[in-house]
Amino acid sequence: MKPRLAAEKEWDGVAYNILLVDDSETVRAVLMKTLNLAQIPLGEVFMAGNGREALEILKENWVDLVVTDLNMPEMTGFELIDAMKNDNLMKTIPVVVVTTEGSTTRIDDLKQKGVKGYVRKPFTPEQIREMISKVMEAT
Amino acid sequence: MEKEMRRILDETLCEVLEKQAFLFAEETEPGDVPPQTGKMLSARITFAGTFSGTISLYVTETMCCEIAANFLGVDADAPGIATKAPDALKEILNVICGNFLTAAAGDGPVFDLTVPQASEHAGAEWSRVLAIPGIMTYVVDEYAVACHLEMQQ
């Protein structure tokens, strides 16, 4: 999928390139809308429908943050996170997971793998904004 | 056990529809569902873990467009909304399933979920759906919403 230009915001600092990974076009659109409404300085927002598409984008583009679902066809979010962890360049990119997953076992496992944030669906735009701001401020 | 599972699913479905699509579902008996016109859309997801089963969700196409529109924050007659409706239905079901499993089993157990699949049906299919034993039925602004939980033994 082609990158989309983010909101036309005035910003005098760093603008973040963000990759949104979800098999639902609806969720990607809602996340995009949330990013545009939030006070997050955006560069480019890339979109992928599964982990495989996400890896292709990551190989060819500078991305500052990955926001990913877990349950996706072809390549899941778990597999994407594992692949990123095993890549010298990608392993430093912070990952926020947005998912219906509620198992603490799995969430702890994701934290062990270096996932920086977790937002459970259904989410509010405020939850997404707060989590992304928190993760980006920490990096 | 299945009755208790249906009660939990009922609560979860109403909560997710309210939070995610700003729709208030009123539970009703299958026989009291008003006649539905137009196409019917369905979505189905299977889960496996401490217990396993399948959840199916049925709505009219008009209702599905409303779900998609509310999800996206646009008007229900916005251009292209009908093409987004099946995707929105799958996502709603995905969220319902994930939240149902945590409500039913707690946050310890791990479940594997399939990717939801959506299908389109003729409106006449409603009579078959409403006759499914254990079907849970709701009315949202005169539109029917039906949900079925099938537990594997």
Side-chain angles (χ1 to χ4, degrees):
Chain A
M1 289 180 202
K2 289 181 181 173
R4 296 184 189 178
L5 287 176
E8 294 169 8
K9 281 188 181 137
E10 295 280 334
W11 184 255
D12 56 3
V14 177
Y16 300 118
N17 290 349
I18 297 181
L19 169 59
L20 303 178
V21 193
D22 199 302
D23 56 323
S24 167
E25 188 186 346
T26 311
V27 174
R28 294 198 304 266
V30 171
L31 288 171
M32 181 72 197
K33 205 169 188 173
T34 301
L35 292 176
N36 279 324
L37 290 171
Q39 301 298 311
I40 298 165
L42 294 175
E44 277 187 312
V45 178
F46 302 94
M47 300 215 188
N50 58 53
R52 185 186 51 74
E53 287 179 11
L55 283 177
E56 284 170 16
I57 291 170
L58 287 168
K59 280 174 192 163
E60 293 179 9
N61 298 276
W62 180 268
V63 171
D64 299 293
L65 173 69
V66 174
V67 178
T68 184
D69 186 18
L70 293 176
N71 186 25
M72 294 182 286
E74 288 191 54
M75 187 181 199
T76 68
F78 296 107
E79 291 166 328
L80 168 64
I81 290 162
D82 283 340
M84 287 178 67
K85 199 184 170 192
N86 291 325
D87 184 284
N88 278 337
L89 287 174
M90 293 181 200
K91 69 181 178 189
T92 59
I93 303 170
V95 177
V96 169
V97 168
V98 179
T99 175
T100 61
E101 181 64 62
S103 163
T104 49
T105 310
R106 281 224 168 110
I107 295 158
D108 289 345
D109 184 38
L110 290 170
K111 285 179 186 166
Q112 290 286 321
K113 289 177 178 176
V115 167
K116 300 292 182 194
Y118 159 76
V119 178
R120 183 134 195 236
K121 295 177 181 177
F123 57 78
T124 63
E126 289 74 24
Q127 287 173 303
I128 297 291
R129 189 184 60 216
E130 281 170 22
M131 180 54 72
I132 290 177
S133 299
K134 189 176 141 192
V135 169
M136 296 318 290
E137 279 167 17
T139 56
Chain B
M1 182 190 175
E2 210 158 321
K3 195 177 173 187
E4 175 62 6
M5 289 292 178
R6 278 204 293 272
R7 186 193 66 74
I8 295 168
L9 179 58
D10 165 61
E11 282 183 7
T12 308
L13 181 145
C14 292
E15 198 179 306
V16 171
L17 277 180
E18 190 180 325
K19 276 189 186 171
Q20 189 129 52
F22 313 107
L23 295 170
F24 297 89
E26 190 183 330
E27 193 174 2
T28 189
E29 292 297 319
D32 295 335
V33 170
Q36 301 292 303
T37 55
K39 283 187 285 191
M40 178 177 76
L41 299 179
S42 72
R44 180 184 166 92
I45 190 168
T46 297
F47 55 89
T50 310
F51 48 86
S52 304
T54 300
I55 304 174
S56 303
L57 188 62
Y58 306 86
V59 296
T60 61
E61 187 182 34
T62 311
M63 180 80 257
C64 202
C65 287
E66 188 130 344
I67 289 172
N70 290 358
F71 212 141
L72 291 163
V74 299
D75 290 333
D77 56 359
I81 202 74
T83 59
K84 295 181 171 72
D87 180 69
L89 185 66
K90 286 193 290 181
E91 180 57 22
I92 282 277
L93 180 60
N94 187 39
V95 176
I96 289 170
C97 185
N99 284 268
F100 158 70
L101 293 172
T102 311
D107 59 12
V110 169
F111 287 90
D112 289 319
L113 276 61
T114 59
V115 175
Q117 300 295 320
S119 312
E120 191 179 296
H121 315 266
E125 281 289 295
W126 272 110
S127 55
R128 179 189 62 79
V129 168
L130 295 176
I132 297 171
I135 190 83
M136 298 153 62
T137 47
Y138 307 83
V139 172
V140 183
D141 300 333
E142 293 301 304
Y143 295 110
V145 174
C147 184
H148 184 244
L149 170 66
E150 188 180 353
M151 300 290 288
Q152 280 175 12
Q153 299 303 318

